[in-house]
Amino acid sequence: MKDKNPGLAGVFSFFIPGLGQIYNGEFGKAIGFIIASIIGGLLTPIFIGFLIILPAWAWGVVDAYYSAEKINEGEIVAD
């Protein structure tokens, strides 16, 4: 299996939620982050969206980084 670059995975998710998970081969997680971002984005006009989108975005960046590290260590098997 090809090693994943944790920094690159984090940067991908920083700019596009779920893209770091796609890079890591974790497509189920990616769909979850994309859906959370869409729902949060749609709800931002009534402020509650910020309570969804900001934590989901931050969690996605951190998750992509640490998942890439775990994939490299063999703790996670991604597609």
Side-chain angles (χ1 to χ4, degrees), residues 8-67:
L8 190 57
V11 169
F12 283 162
S13 276
F14 180 86
F15 289 108
I16 301 174
L19 188 58
Q21 286 73 19
I22 291 171
Y23 169 74
N24 287 337
E26 299 178 305
F27 299 105
K29 276 187 185 180
I31 291 169
F33 283 112
I34 292 167
I35 289 172
S37 296
I38 290 170
I39 290 171
L42 291 173
L43 294 176
T44 51
I46 57 172
F47 181 71
I48 196 164
F50 290 107
L51 299 175
I52 296 170
I53 200 167
L54 293 177
W57 169 78
W59 180 25
V61 172
V62 172
D63 176 74
Y65 180 88
Y66 285 112
S67 291

